[in-house]
Amino acid sequence: MRILGIETSCDETGVAIYDEQYGLVANQLYSQIEMHADYGGVVPELASRDHIRKTLPLVQAALEEANLIPNDIDGVAYTAGPGLVGALLVGSTIARSLAYAWDVPALGVHHMEGHLLAPMLEEKAPEFPFVALLVSGGHTQLVKVENVGKYELLGESIDDAAGEAFDKTAKLLGLDYPGGAALAKLAEKGTACRFTFPRPMTDRPGLDFSFSGLKTFAANKINANLNSEGILDEQTRCDIAHAFQQAVIDTLIIKCRRALQQTGYKRLVIAGGVSANKQLRADLAELMQQLKGEVFYPRPQFCTDNGAMIAYAGFIRLKNGEQTDLSVSVKPRWPMTELPSIIE
Ligand code: KG4
Ligand code: ZN
């Protein structure tokens, strides 16, 4: 079975082909980041228009990369939500139409399930069950995963997602959108202990997160440290980035430890854009060593949005006999716990 996967939920057009026998045989990605950077964030209308321009050429490129023709494709998977409604509609309409023309089934995939299953594309893939920490630009969630579709939400952010907090703080530090990775680079040059940021919601039980206060805390620190010309010196910029990043990471680690204790699981999966963060990975490795467990990640390229994770998640569910009917419907909001379990 060979599945074409199409991702268009936000600002990346991703197209990939997953082959049951050979694994991932094509992976094409176009990022709109440069286009949105001028506006300091994603402009939904521009995102939709760009997906329209890019999706079909990427489908063609993916087929060429894998040396396949449309006849070789057994199903088309596409991101049906959550995400920007216009952007989702572009991918869904194209995917649904291709499946109709090629006379193969189509399936609307949940974007966060795509992220959650992305580590399955790696050589070191996790076995079920595990705890998943999903940390992207739109979501921060801790999920108890018994199998594909057997998800229990243990906790989530009550305000900004971790990636969103990175991006907003990066903006305050004068970095372009999305500034998560650039802030992490600044943080590498920062000195520990000069500033101490709070670890929100860690002083009470529970597995929810709150990151919006950290951005305000960063804004106050920046204002308090401007020089007489209203400029933040480079070292202070790096030190604030370092303190902010460490506060987010420590908070995530404290909650991961709790989630592992609560479930009794020994395996932790981290996925979503923020899981590309090197310091987070280093600190999680240390945590899992202490807990005598194991941590699993997608390769950095598959931490952020991509078509490969959608092709893979689509493959798992299409193989299970699921498919979406002919209508094109997307779900900008879609709790992952509503997904059917593939094993009862
Ligand atoms: O999963 P993703 O590509 O898109 C969503 O589904 O939201 O995640 C993008 C988020 C952005 O907020 C970006 O700044 C953040 O992931 N990000 C990082 C790093 N790389 C990407 N945050 C911290 N450190 C990084 N190295
Ligand atoms: Zn994502």
Side-chain angles (χ1 to χ4, degrees):
M1 196 178 207
R2 259 185 231 109
I3 303 302
L4 176 80
I6 298 180
E7 154 65 33
T8 63
S9 68
C10 190
D11 55 355
E12 255 107 27
T13 318
V15 177
I17 300 171
Y18 185 84
D19 181 305
E20 183 168 14
Q21 198 181 349
Y22 299 107
L24 197 65
V25 289
N27 181 44
Q28 299 285 328
L29 186 78
Y30 174 79
S31 173
Q32 305 177 348
I33 279 174
E34 261 178 44
M35 178 179 80
H36 297 295
D38 289 346
Y39 302 90
V42 177
V43 184
E45 178 62 24
L46 295 183
S48 310
R49 291 183 198 191
D50 217 32
H51 287 307
I52 291 176
R53 280 190 288 266
K54 296 296 179 334
T55 307
L56 277 177
L58 287 186
V59 169
Q60 207 148 23
L63 287 169
E64 276 166 26
E65 182 187 344
N67 209 10
L68 296 171
I69 56 167
N71 238 343
D72 298 322
I73 300 296
D74 303 300
V76 184
Y78 56 92
T79 306
L84 302 170
V85 64
L88 290 168
L89 277 168
V90 175
S92 306
T93 308
I94 292 175
R96 196 67 205 76
S97 307
L98 287 176
Y100 182 70
W102 296 345
D103 198 19
V104 295
L107 185 82
V109 170
H110 192 291
H111 181 81
M112 296 313 289
E113 181 171 75
H115 276 304
L116 189 147
L117 296 177
M120 301 294 183
L121 291 164
E122 304 306 324
E123 216 165 289
K124 184 191 164 198
E127 279 172 35
F128 296 104
F130 53 77
V131 167
L133 172 67
L134 304 177
V135 270
S136 69
H139 294 81
T140 305
Q141 295 181 326
L142 269 167
V143 188
K144 179 179 171 186
V145 180
E146 282 181 64
N147 211 312
V148 178
K150 261 200 157 208
Y151 306 133
E152 186 189 328
L153 186 65
L154 301 171
E156 64 183 333
S157 179
I158 58 167
D159 43 52
D160 291 354
E164 194 178 352
F166 263 93
D167 294 342
K168 287 179 175 172
T169 305
K171 198 171 184 176
L172 294 171
L173 290 167
L175 299 165
D176 279 347
Y177 178 86
L183 187 151
K185 273 232 151 335
L186 273 191
E188 280 174 21
K189 291 180 268 168
T191 16
C193 307
R194 176 157 170 219
F195 299 107
T196 307
F197 279 49
R199 273 63 178 151
M201 291 181 78
T202 55
D203 57 351
R204 65 193 95 160
L207 293 168
D208 284 338
F209 304 90
S210 165
F211 290 115
S212 70
L214 287 180
K215 159 201 70 194
T216 316
F217 200 87
N220 291 339
K221 285 284 164 232
I222 291 168
N223 286 333
N225 285 279
L226 296 175
N227 65 18
S228 54
E229 287 150 34
I231 293 168
L232 197 65
D233 73 75
E234 193 52 25
Q235 191 56 50
T236 306
R237 223 170 142 234
C238 297
D239 294 345
I240 290 175
H242 186 281
F244 164 83
Q245 173 174 273
Q246 206 53 52
V248 175
I249 292 174
D250 286 352
T251 306
L252 293 174
I253 299 246
I254 290 166
K255 299 286 164 109
C256 282
R257 181 193 284 272
R258 270 186 209 170
L260 289 162
Q261 275 161 352
Q262 188 176 312
T263 55
Y265 291 174
K266 289 280 180 200
R267 285 181 287 265
L268 181 67
V269 159
I270 320 286
V274 182
S275 66
N277 188 283
K278 283 192 206 142
Q279 190 60 48
L280 173 65
R281 288 179 176 228
D283 290 3
L284 279 168
E286 207 179 298
L287 171 77
M288 295 317 284
Q289 208 174 3
Q290 278 173 24
L291 298 179
K292 302 199 172 13
E294 262 190 296
V295 59
F296 300 83
Y297 318 92
R299 70 196 81 163
Q301 179 195 1
F302 293 162
C303 287
T304 44
D305 291 348
N306 63 85
M309 67 184 195
I310 303 304
Y312 179 74
F315 159 72
I316 296 287
R317 289 192 173 275
L318 282 158
K319 187 157 173 64
N320 192 46
E322 289 175 42
Q323 56 175 291
T324 309
D325 65 22
L326 263 181
S327 63
V328 174
S329 69
V330 296
K331 297 179 183 167
R333 286 175 191 277
W334 186 7
M336 207 167 61
T337 44
E338 283 180 6
L339 290 172
S341 167
I342 70 163
I343 298 173
E344 280 316 319

